[in-house]
mmCIF file of all heavy atoms in Angstrom:
data_model
loop_
_atom_site.group_PDB
_atom_site.id
_atom_site.type_symbol
_atom_site.label_atom_id
_atom_site.label_comp_id
_atom_site.label_asym_id
_atom_site.label_seq_id
_atom_site.Cartn_x
_atom_site.Cartn_y
_atom_site.Cartn_z
ATOM 1 N N TYR A 301 2.553 -5.570 -34.888
ATOM 2 C CA TYR A 301 2.250 -4.718 -33.737
ATOM 3 C C TYR A 301 3.280 -4.922 -32.631
ATOM 4 O O TYR A 301 3.774 -3.944 -32.044
ATOM 5 C CB TYR A 301 0.845 -5.037 -33.228
ATOM 6 C CG TYR A 301 0.445 -4.274 -31.989
ATOM 7 C CD1 TYR A 301 -0.077 -2.993 -32.083
ATOM 8 C CD2 TYR A 301 0.588 -4.844 -30.718
ATOM 9 C CE1 TYR A 301 -0.456 -2.285 -30.940
ATOM 10 C CE2 TYR A 301 0.212 -4.142 -29.580
ATOM 11 C CZ TYR A 301 -0.304 -2.873 -29.705
ATOM 12 O OH TYR A 301 -0.665 -2.184 -28.568
ATOM 13 N N GLU A 302 3.612 -6.170 -32.341
ATOM 14 C CA GLU A 302 4.586 -6.455 -31.285
ATOM 15 C C GLU A 302 5.963 -5.903 -31.644
ATOM 16 O O GLU A 302 6.672 -5.371 -30.793
ATOM 17 C CB GLU A 302 4.672 -7.970 -31.050
ATOM 18 C CG GLU A 302 3.412 -8.601 -30.501
ATOM 19 C CD GLU A 302 3.077 -8.137 -29.095
ATOM 20 O OE1 GLU A 302 3.996 -8.039 -28.279
ATOM 21 O OE2 GLU A 302 1.892 -7.860 -28.844
ATOM 22 N N TYR A 312 9.843 -3.496 -23.657
ATOM 23 C CA TYR A 312 8.547 -4.079 -24.012
ATOM 24 C C TYR A 312 8.612 -5.601 -24.125
ATOM 25 O O TYR A 312 7.673 -6.296 -23.735
ATOM 26 C CB TYR A 312 8.035 -3.494 -25.333
ATOM 27 C CG TYR A 312 6.688 -4.055 -25.739
ATOM 28 C CD1 TYR A 312 5.516 -3.577 -25.162
ATOM 29 C CD2 TYR A 312 6.593 -5.075 -26.689
ATOM 30 C CE1 TYR A 312 4.287 -4.097 -25.508
ATOM 31 C CE2 TYR A 312 5.367 -5.601 -27.043
ATOM 32 C CZ TYR A 312 4.212 -5.107 -26.452
ATOM 33 O OH TYR A 312 2.992 -5.637 -26.795
ATOM 34 N N SER A 314 9.990 -7.695 -22.394
ATOM 35 C CA SER A 314 9.949 -8.381 -21.102
ATOM 36 C C SER A 314 8.700 -8.070 -20.292
ATOM 37 O O SER A 314 8.474 -8.690 -19.251
ATOM 38 C CB SER A 314 11.183 -7.997 -20.262
ATOM 39 O OG SER A 314 12.377 -8.372 -20.900
ATOM 40 N N LEU A 315 7.891 -7.107 -20.743
ATOM 41 C CA LEU A 315 6.780 -6.643 -19.910
ATOM 42 C C LEU A 315 5.770 -7.743 -19.617
ATOM 43 O O LEU A 315 5.370 -7.949 -18.465
ATOM 44 C CB LEU A 315 6.070 -5.464 -20.584
ATOM 45 C CG LEU A 315 6.768 -4.120 -20.539
ATOM 46 C CD1 LEU A 315 5.901 -3.054 -21.194
ATOM 47 C CD2 LEU A 315 7.106 -3.718 -19.117
ATOM 48 N N ALA A 316 5.334 -8.460 -20.650
ATOM 49 C CA ALA A 316 4.323 -9.496 -20.443
ATOM 50 C C ALA A 316 4.871 -10.612 -19.560
ATOM 51 O O ALA A 316 4.195 -11.091 -18.642
ATOM 52 C CB ALA A 316 3.868 -10.058 -21.785
ATOM 53 N N ARG A 317 6.112 -11.018 -19.817
ATOM 54 C CA ARG A 317 6.721 -12.106 -19.033
ATOM 55 C C ARG A 317 6.868 -11.707 -17.570
ATOM 56 O O ARG A 317 6.580 -12.481 -16.652
ATOM 57 C CB ARG A 317 8.076 -12.459 -19.630
ATOM 58 C CG ARG A 317 8.761 -13.668 -18.992
ATOM 59 C CD ARG A 317 9.891 -14.154 -19.886
ATOM 60 N NE ARG A 317 9.370 -14.519 -21.189
ATOM 61 C CZ ARG A 317 10.115 -14.590 -22.293
ATOM 62 N NH1 ARG A 317 11.396 -14.294 -22.253
ATOM 63 N NH2 ARG A 317 9.572 -14.942 -23.437
ATOM 64 N N LEU A 318 7.305 -10.473 -17.349
ATOM 65 C CA LEU A 318 7.472 -9.981 -15.980
ATOM 66 C C LEU A 318 6.127 -9.857 -15.275
ATOM 67 O O LEU A 318 5.982 -10.264 -14.114
ATOM 68 C CB LEU A 318 8.171 -8.623 -16.007
ATOM 69 C CG LEU A 318 8.291 -7.884 -14.673
ATOM 70 C CD1 LEU A 318 9.129 -8.696 -13.695
ATOM 71 C CD2 LEU A 318 8.896 -6.501 -14.881
ATOM 72 N N ALA A 319 5.139 -9.305 -15.971
ATOM 73 C CA ALA A 319 3.828 -9.110 -15.363
ATOM 74 C C ALA A 319 3.219 -10.435 -14.917
ATOM 75 O O ALA A 319 2.694 -10.565 -13.805
ATOM 76 C CB ALA A 319 2.893 -8.395 -16.341
ATOM 77 N N VAL A 320 3.295 -11.443 -15.774
ATOM 78 C CA VAL A 320 2.730 -12.748 -15.440
ATOM 79 C C VAL A 320 3.524 -13.401 -14.313
ATOM 80 O O VAL A 320 2.950 -13.997 -13.387
ATOM 81 C CB VAL A 320 2.693 -13.649 -16.682
ATOM 82 C CG1 VAL A 320 2.306 -15.087 -16.303
ATOM 83 C CG2 VAL A 320 1.706 -13.101 -17.709
ATOM 84 N N ALA A 321 4.855 -13.296 -14.367
ATOM 85 C CA ALA A 321 5.688 -13.901 -13.322
ATOM 86 C C ALA A 321 5.384 -13.293 -11.951
ATOM 87 O O ALA A 321 5.344 -14.006 -10.938
ATOM 88 C CB ALA A 321 7.169 -13.723 -13.664
ATOM 89 N N LEU A 323 2.487 -11.851 -11.002
ATOM 90 C CA LEU A 323 1.155 -12.239 -10.561
ATOM 91 C C LEU A 323 1.100 -13.718 -10.180
ATOM 92 O O LEU A 323 0.362 -14.112 -9.274
ATOM 93 C CB LEU A 323 0.132 -11.947 -11.657
ATOM 94 C CG LEU A 323 -1.331 -11.991 -11.219
ATOM 95 C CD1 LEU A 323 -1.609 -10.912 -10.170
ATOM 96 C CD2 LEU A 323 -2.259 -11.820 -12.414
ATOM 97 N N VAL A 336 -8.054 -15.363 -13.492
ATOM 98 C CA VAL A 336 -7.267 -14.145 -13.693
ATOM 99 C C VAL A 336 -7.870 -13.338 -14.831
ATOM 100 O O VAL A 336 -8.237 -13.882 -15.882
ATOM 101 C CB VAL A 336 -5.796 -14.499 -14.010
ATOM 102 C CG1 VAL A 336 -5.017 -13.281 -14.480
ATOM 103 C CG2 VAL A 336 -5.126 -15.109 -12.774
ATOM 104 N N LEU A 337 -7.959 -12.031 -14.624
ATOM 105 C CA LEU A 337 -8.482 -11.102 -15.617
ATOM 106 C C LEU A 337 -7.336 -10.413 -16.344
ATOM 107 O O LEU A 337 -6.401 -9.910 -15.712
ATOM 108 C CB LEU A 337 -9.358 -10.051 -14.921
ATOM 109 C CG LEU A 337 -9.879 -8.903 -15.780
ATOM 110 C CD1 LEU A 337 -10.827 -9.401 -16.859
ATOM 111 C CD2 LEU A 337 -10.560 -7.845 -14.906
ATOM 112 N N VAL A 338 -7.407 -10.400 -17.664
ATOM 113 C CA VAL A 338 -6.460 -9.630 -18.480
ATOM 114 C C VAL A 338 -7.255 -8.482 -19.102
ATOM 115 O O VAL A 338 -8.043 -8.685 -20.030
ATOM 116 C CB VAL A 338 -5.793 -10.492 -19.564
ATOM 117 C CG1 VAL A 338 -4.803 -9.659 -20.367
ATOM 118 C CG2 VAL A 338 -5.082 -11.685 -18.927
ATOM 119 N N ALA A 339 -7.067 -7.294 -18.558
ATOM 120 C CA ALA A 339 -7.844 -6.128 -18.968
ATOM 121 C C ALA A 339 -7.116 -5.373 -20.070
ATOM 122 O O ALA A 339 -6.002 -4.900 -19.862
ATOM 123 C CB ALA A 339 -8.082 -5.212 -17.769
ATOM 124 N N GLY A 340 -7.739 -5.272 -21.238
ATOM 125 C CA GLY A 340 -7.085 -4.668 -22.381
ATOM 126 C C GLY A 340 -6.074 -5.635 -22.956
ATOM 127 O O GLY A 340 -4.883 -5.342 -23.011
ATOM 128 N N CYS A 341 -6.550 -6.798 -23.405
ATOM 129 C CA CYS A 341 -5.624 -7.874 -23.802
ATOM 130 C C CYS A 341 -4.884 -7.571 -25.093
ATOM 131 O O CYS A 341 -3.883 -8.217 -25.395
ATOM 132 C CB CYS A 341 -6.366 -9.203 -23.917
ATOM 133 S SG CYS A 341 -7.615 -9.274 -25.218
ATOM 134 N N GLY A 342 -5.341 -6.582 -25.881
ATOM 135 C CA GLY A 342 -4.624 -6.215 -27.094
ATOM 136 C C GLY A 342 -4.422 -7.385 -28.027
ATOM 137 O O GLY A 342 -5.349 -8.142 -28.310
ATOM 138 N N THR A 343 -3.190 -7.564 -28.480
ATOM 139 C CA THR A 343 -2.898 -8.667 -29.393
ATOM 140 C C THR A 343 -2.490 -9.949 -28.665
ATOM 141 O O THR A 343 -2.076 -10.909 -29.295
ATOM 142 C CB THR A 343 -1.795 -8.270 -30.388
ATOM 143 O OG1 THR A 343 -0.627 -7.866 -29.671
ATOM 144 C CG2 THR A 343 -2.260 -7.133 -31.287
ATOM 145 N N GLY A 344 -2.585 -9.957 -27.336
ATOM 146 C CA GLY A 344 -2.443 -11.207 -26.601
ATOM 147 C C GLY A 344 -1.101 -11.529 -25.989
ATOM 148 O O GLY A 344 -0.862 -12.660 -25.589
ATOM 149 N N ALA A 345 -0.208 -10.539 -25.861
ATOM 150 C CA ALA A 345 1.126 -10.813 -25.316
ATOM 151 C C ALA A 345 1.054 -11.394 -23.909
ATOM 152 O O ALA A 345 1.751 -12.371 -23.587
ATOM 153 C CB ALA A 345 1.980 -9.542 -25.319
ATOM 154 N N GLU A 346 0.218 -10.802 -23.041
ATOM 155 C CA GLU A 346 0.111 -11.300 -21.662
ATOM 156 C C GLU A 346 -0.558 -12.671 -21.619
ATOM 157 O O GLU A 346 -0.224 -13.520 -20.790
ATOM 158 C CB GLU A 346 -0.678 -10.313 -20.795
ATOM 159 C CG GLU A 346 0.024 -9.007 -20.537
ATOM 160 C CD GLU A 346 -0.098 -8.053 -21.712
ATOM 161 O OE1 GLU A 346 -1.209 -7.887 -22.255
ATOM 162 O OE2 GLU A 346 0.933 -7.484 -22.108
ATOM 163 N N LEU A 347 -1.484 -12.907 -22.527
ATOM 164 C CA LEU A 347 -2.158 -14.205 -22.577
ATOM 165 C C LEU A 347 -1.191 -15.311 -22.987
ATOM 166 O O LEU A 347 -1.223 -16.417 -22.427
ATOM 167 C CB LEU A 347 -3.337 -14.146 -23.551
ATOM 168 C CG LEU A 347 -4.481 -13.223 -23.153
ATOM 169 C CD1 LEU A 347 -5.446 -13.040 -24.314
ATOM 170 C CD2 LEU A 347 -5.217 -13.772 -21.934
ATOM 171 N N VAL A 348 -0.340 -15.025 -23.961
ATOM 172 C CA VAL A 348 0.661 -16.013 -24.384
ATOM 173 C C VAL A 348 1.538 -16.406 -23.207
ATOM 174 O O VAL A 348 1.802 -17.593 -22.965
ATOM 175 C CB VAL A 348 1.519 -15.455 -25.538
ATOM 176 C CG1 VAL A 348 2.720 -16.359 -25.810
ATOM 177 C CG2 VAL A 348 0.682 -15.311 -26.805
ATOM 178 N N GLU A 349 1.981 -15.409 -22.449
ATOM 179 C CA GLU A 349 2.832 -15.691 -21.292
ATOM 180 C C GLU A 349 2.064 -16.411 -20.192
ATOM 181 O O GLU A 349 2.599 -17.316 -19.544
ATOM 182 C CB GLU A 349 3.418 -14.390 -20.743
ATOM 183 C CG GLU A 349 4.586 -13.856 -21.534
ATOM 184 C CD GLU A 349 5.803 -14.775 -21.517
ATOM 185 O OE1 GLU A 349 5.959 -15.557 -20.554
ATOM 186 O OE2 GLU A 349 6.583 -14.720 -22.474
ATOM 187 N N ALA A 350 0.815 -16.022 -19.982
ATOM 188 C CA ALA A 350 0.012 -16.665 -18.938
ATOM 189 C C ALA A 350 -0.199 -18.142 -19.251
ATOM 190 O O ALA A 350 -0.083 -18.999 -18.364
ATOM 191 C CB ALA A 350 -1.325 -15.948 -18.788
ATOM 192 N N VAL A 351 -0.502 -18.450 -20.494
ATOM 193 C CA VAL A 351 -0.703 -19.850 -20.895
ATOM 194 C C VAL A 351 0.594 -20.642 -20.743
ATOM 195 O O VAL A 351 0.583 -21.808 -20.337
ATOM 196 C CB VAL A 351 -1.234 -19.914 -22.336
ATOM 197 C CG1 VAL A 351 -1.202 -21.345 -22.864
ATOM 198 C CG2 VAL A 351 -2.648 -19.359 -22.406
ATOM 199 N N ALA A 352 1.728 -19.991 -21.050
ATOM 200 C CA ALA A 352 3.022 -20.683 -20.954
ATOM 201 C C ALA A 352 3.447 -20.891 -19.506
ATOM 202 O O ALA A 352 3.909 -21.981 -19.131
ATOM 203 C CB ALA A 352 4.088 -19.878 -21.704
ATOM 204 N N GLN A 353 3.296 -19.852 -18.676
ATOM 205 C CA GLN A 353 3.778 -19.932 -17.300
ATOM 206 C C GLN A 353 2.781 -20.609 -16.363
ATOM 207 O O GLN A 353 3.181 -21.315 -15.437
ATOM 208 C CB GLN A 353 4.084 -18.527 -16.759
ATOM 209 C CG GLN A 353 5.245 -17.839 -17.442
ATOM 210 C CD GLN A 353 5.616 -16.529 -16.758
ATOM 211 O OE1 GLN A 353 5.601 -16.423 -15.527
ATOM 212 N NE2 GLN A 353 5.966 -15.526 -17.536
ATOM 213 N N ARG A 354 1.489 -20.371 -16.591
ATOM 214 C CA ARG A 354 0.471 -20.912 -15.707
ATOM 215 C C ARG A 354 -0.685 -21.509 -16.519
ATOM 216 O O ARG A 354 -1.773 -20.933 -16.611
ATOM 217 C CB ARG A 354 -0.039 -19.816 -14.767
ATOM 218 C CG ARG A 354 0.969 -19.384 -13.701
ATOM 219 C CD ARG A 354 1.320 -20.511 -12.727
ATOM 220 N NE ARG A 354 0.143 -21.023 -12.055
ATOM 221 C CZ ARG A 354 -0.294 -20.586 -10.867
ATOM 222 N NH1 ARG A 354 0.377 -19.632 -10.230
ATOM 223 N NH2 ARG A 354 -1.359 -21.103 -10.305
ATOM 224 N N TRP A 357 -4.247 -21.636 -15.004
ATOM 225 C CA TRP A 357 -5.101 -20.476 -14.795
ATOM 226 C C TRP A 357 -6.324 -20.526 -15.708
ATOM 227 O O TRP A 357 -6.252 -20.977 -16.857
ATOM 228 C CB TRP A 357 -4.345 -19.187 -15.091
ATOM 229 C CG TRP A 357 -3.555 -18.645 -13.943
ATOM 230 C CD1 TRP A 357 -3.530 -19.095 -12.654
ATOM 231 C CD2 TRP A 357 -2.647 -17.535 -13.990
ATOM 232 N NE1 TRP A 357 -2.678 -18.342 -11.894
ATOM 233 C CE2 TRP A 357 -2.119 -17.374 -12.678
ATOM 234 C CE3 TRP A 357 -2.228 -16.677 -14.995
ATOM 235 C CZ2 TRP A 357 -1.203 -16.371 -12.375
ATOM 236 C CZ3 TRP A 357 -1.316 -15.687 -14.696
ATOM 237 C CH2 TRP A 357 -0.800 -15.531 -13.393
ATOM 238 N N LEU A 359 -8.540 -17.899 -17.566
ATOM 239 C CA LEU A 359 -8.325 -16.515 -17.966
ATOM 240 C C LEU A 359 -9.587 -15.898 -18.564
ATOM 241 O O LEU A 359 -10.294 -16.544 -19.351
ATOM 242 C CB LEU A 359 -7.200 -16.431 -18.997
ATOM 243 C CG LEU A 359 -5.836 -16.972 -18.543
ATOM 244 C CD1 LEU A 359 -4.936 -17.200 -19.745
ATOM 245 C CD2 LEU A 359 -5.174 -16.002 -17.565
ATOM 246 N N ALA A 361 -10.241 -12.671 -20.883
ATOM 247 C CA ALA A 361 -9.549 -11.673 -21.687
ATOM 248 C C ALA A 361 -10.562 -10.680 -22.231
ATOM 249 O O ALA A 361 -11.500 -11.061 -22.942
ATOM 250 C CB ALA A 361 -8.801 -12.340 -22.836
ATOM 251 N N ILE A 362 -10.379 -9.403 -21.903
ATOM 252 C CA ILE A 362 -11.315 -8.388 -22.375
ATOM 253 C C ILE A 362 -10.581 -7.300 -23.152
ATOM 254 O O ILE A 362 -9.413 -6.989 -22.891
ATOM 255 C CB ILE A 362 -12.109 -7.741 -21.217
ATOM 256 C CG1 ILE A 362 -11.197 -6.938 -20.281
ATOM 257 C CG2 ILE A 362 -12.883 -8.800 -20.448
ATOM 258 C CD1 ILE A 362 -11.959 -6.102 -19.255
ATOM 259 N N ASP A 363 -11.282 -6.744 -24.131
ATOM 260 C CA ASP A 363 -10.788 -5.593 -24.874
ATOM 261 C C ASP A 363 -11.989 -4.955 -25.560
ATOM 262 O O ASP A 363 -12.845 -5.676 -26.091
ATOM 263 C CB ASP A 363 -9.743 -5.992 -25.921
ATOM 264 C CG ASP A 363 -8.858 -4.824 -26.323
ATOM 265 O OD1 ASP A 363 -9.361 -3.900 -26.996
ATOM 266 O OD2 ASP A 363 -7.671 -4.812 -25.943
ATOM 267 N N SER A 372 -5.931 -11.203 -31.077
ATOM 268 C CA SER A 372 -5.529 -11.990 -29.918
ATOM 269 C C SER A 372 -6.042 -13.422 -30.023
ATOM 270 O O SER A 372 -5.315 -14.386 -29.766
ATOM 271 C CB SER A 372 -6.064 -11.314 -28.653
ATOM 272 O OG SER A 372 -5.576 -11.950 -27.499
ATOM 273 N N ARG A 375 -4.097 -15.346 -32.548
ATOM 274 C CA ARG A 375 -2.748 -15.655 -32.066
ATOM 275 C C ARG A 375 -2.743 -16.817 -31.086
ATOM 276 O O ARG A 375 -1.857 -17.667 -31.124
ATOM 277 C CB ARG A 375 -2.160 -14.412 -31.396
ATOM 278 C CG ARG A 375 -0.742 -14.567 -30.904
ATOM 279 C CD ARG A 375 -0.268 -13.253 -30.302
ATOM 280 N NE ARG A 375 1.122 -13.302 -29.895
ATOM 281 C CZ ARG A 375 1.766 -12.305 -29.310
ATOM 282 N NH1 ARG A 375 1.135 -11.159 -29.095
ATOM 283 N NH2 ARG A 375 3.038 -12.433 -28.956
ATOM 284 N N LEU A 376 -3.749 -16.862 -30.208
ATOM 285 C CA LEU A 376 -3.800 -17.892 -29.171
ATOM 286 C C LEU A 376 -4.429 -19.187 -29.651
ATOM 287 O O LEU A 376 -4.220 -20.245 -29.038
ATOM 288 C CB LEU A 376 -4.572 -17.371 -27.961
ATOM 289 C CG LEU A 376 -3.803 -16.628 -26.871
ATOM 290 C CD1 LEU A 376 -2.830 -17.561 -26.143
ATOM 291 C CD2 LEU A 376 -3.095 -15.400 -27.381
ATOM 292 N N ILE A 382 -9.508 -19.826 -21.883
ATOM 293 C CA ILE A 382 -9.691 -18.386 -22.052
ATOM 294 C C ILE A 382 -11.137 -18.066 -22.395
ATOM 295 O O ILE A 382 -11.706 -18.606 -23.344
ATOM 296 C CB ILE A 382 -8.763 -17.826 -23.153
ATOM 297 C CG1 ILE A 382 -7.295 -18.145 -22.855
ATOM 298 C CG2 ILE A 382 -8.943 -16.308 -23.268
ATOM 299 C CD1 ILE A 382 -6.334 -17.679 -23.929
ATOM 300 N N ALA A 405 -5.213 -9.768 -11.609
ATOM 301 C CA ALA A 405 -5.504 -9.084 -12.865
ATOM 302 C C ALA A 405 -4.232 -8.479 -13.438
ATOM 303 O O ALA A 405 -3.297 -8.142 -12.695
ATOM 304 C CB ALA A 405 -6.565 -7.999 -12.668
ATOM 305 N N LEU A 406 -4.221 -8.338 -14.754
ATOM 306 C CA LEU A 406 -3.127 -7.711 -15.477
ATOM 307 C C LEU A 406 -3.677 -6.550 -16.289
ATOM 308 O O LEU A 406 -4.707 -6.687 -16.963
ATOM 309 C CB LEU A 406 -2.455 -8.716 -16.431
ATOM 310 C CG LEU A 406 -1.858 -9.979 -15.816
ATOM 311 C CD1 LEU A 406 -1.548 -10.996 -16.902
ATOM 312 C CD2 LEU A 406 -0.592 -9.636 -15.048
ATOM 313 N N SER A 407 -3.001 -5.407 -16.231
ATOM 314 C CA SER A 407 -3.357 -4.253 -17.051
ATOM 315 C C SER A 407 -2.066 -3.613 -17.535
ATOM 316 O O SER A 407 -1.403 -2.893 -16.784
ATOM 317 C CB SER A 407 -4.188 -3.245 -16.249
ATOM 318 O OG SER A 407 -4.405 -2.066 -17.002
ATOM 319 N N VAL A 408 -1.704 -3.905 -18.769
ATOM 320 C CA VAL A 408 -0.425 -3.447 -19.324
ATOM 321 C C VAL A 408 -0.686 -2.417 -20.421
ATOM 322 O O VAL A 408 -1.304 -2.720 -21.446
ATOM 323 C CB VAL A 408 0.389 -4.634 -19.879
ATOM 324 C CG1 VAL A 408 1.700 -4.156 -20.502
ATOM 325 C CG2 VAL A 408 0.677 -5.640 -18.767
ATOM 326 N N LEU A 409 -0.238 -1.181 -20.180
ATOM 327 C CA LEU A 409 -0.325 -0.090 -21.140
ATOM 328 C C LEU A 409 -1.773 0.226 -21.520
ATOM 329 O O LEU A 409 -2.113 0.413 -22.691
ATOM 330 C CB LEU A 409 0.500 -0.420 -22.407
ATOM 331 C CG LEU A 409 1.963 -0.790 -22.159
ATOM 332 C CD1 LEU A 409 2.644 -1.191 -23.453
ATOM 333 C CD2 LEU A 409 2.710 0.349 -21.494
ATOM 334 N N VAL A 410 -2.636 0.287 -20.511
ATOM 335 C CA VAL A 410 -4.052 0.601 -20.718
ATOM 336 C C VAL A 410 -4.423 1.925 -20.057
ATOM 337 O O VAL A 410 -5.000 2.815 -20.690
ATOM 338 C CB VAL A 410 -4.963 -0.524 -20.178
ATOM 339 C CG1 VAL A 410 -6.428 -0.152 -20.343
ATOM 340 C CG2 VAL A 410 -4.665 -1.844 -20.880
ATOM 341 N N VAL A 438 -1.350 -6.241 -11.506
ATOM 342 C CA VAL A 438 -0.090 -5.751 -12.060
ATOM 343 C C VAL A 438 -0.440 -4.682 -13.084
ATOM 344 O O VAL A 438 -1.129 -4.949 -14.076
ATOM 345 C CB VAL A 438 0.732 -6.877 -12.719
ATOM 346 C CG1 VAL A 438 2.028 -6.310 -13.301
ATOM 347 C CG2 VAL A 438 1.054 -7.975 -11.712
ATOM 348 N N VAL A 440 1.051 -1.668 -15.596
ATOM 349 C CA VAL A 440 2.216 -1.101 -16.285
ATOM 350 C C VAL A 440 1.729 0.057 -17.134
ATOM 351 O O VAL A 440 0.740 -0.074 -17.881
ATOM 352 C CB VAL A 440 2.925 -2.146 -17.164
ATOM 353 C CG1 VAL A 440 4.150 -1.519 -17.835
ATOM 354 C CG2 VAL A 440 3.336 -3.360 -16.343
#
Side-chain angles (χ1 to χ4, degrees):
Y301 177 84
E302 295 294 318
Y312 181 80
S314 299
L315 285 183
R317 186 165 301 159
L318 173 62
V320 171
L323 194 63
V336 169
L337 174 65
V338 181
C341 65
T343 57
E346 292 80 46
L347 294 169
V348 169
E349 282 296 334
V351 169
Q353 293 187 39
R354 289 296 302 267
W357 274 354
L359 301 164
I362 66 171
D363 202 290
S372 187
R375 183 178 184 182
L376 271 293
I382 304 177
L406 301 166
S407 174
V408 178
L409 306 176
V410 177
V438 179
V440 181

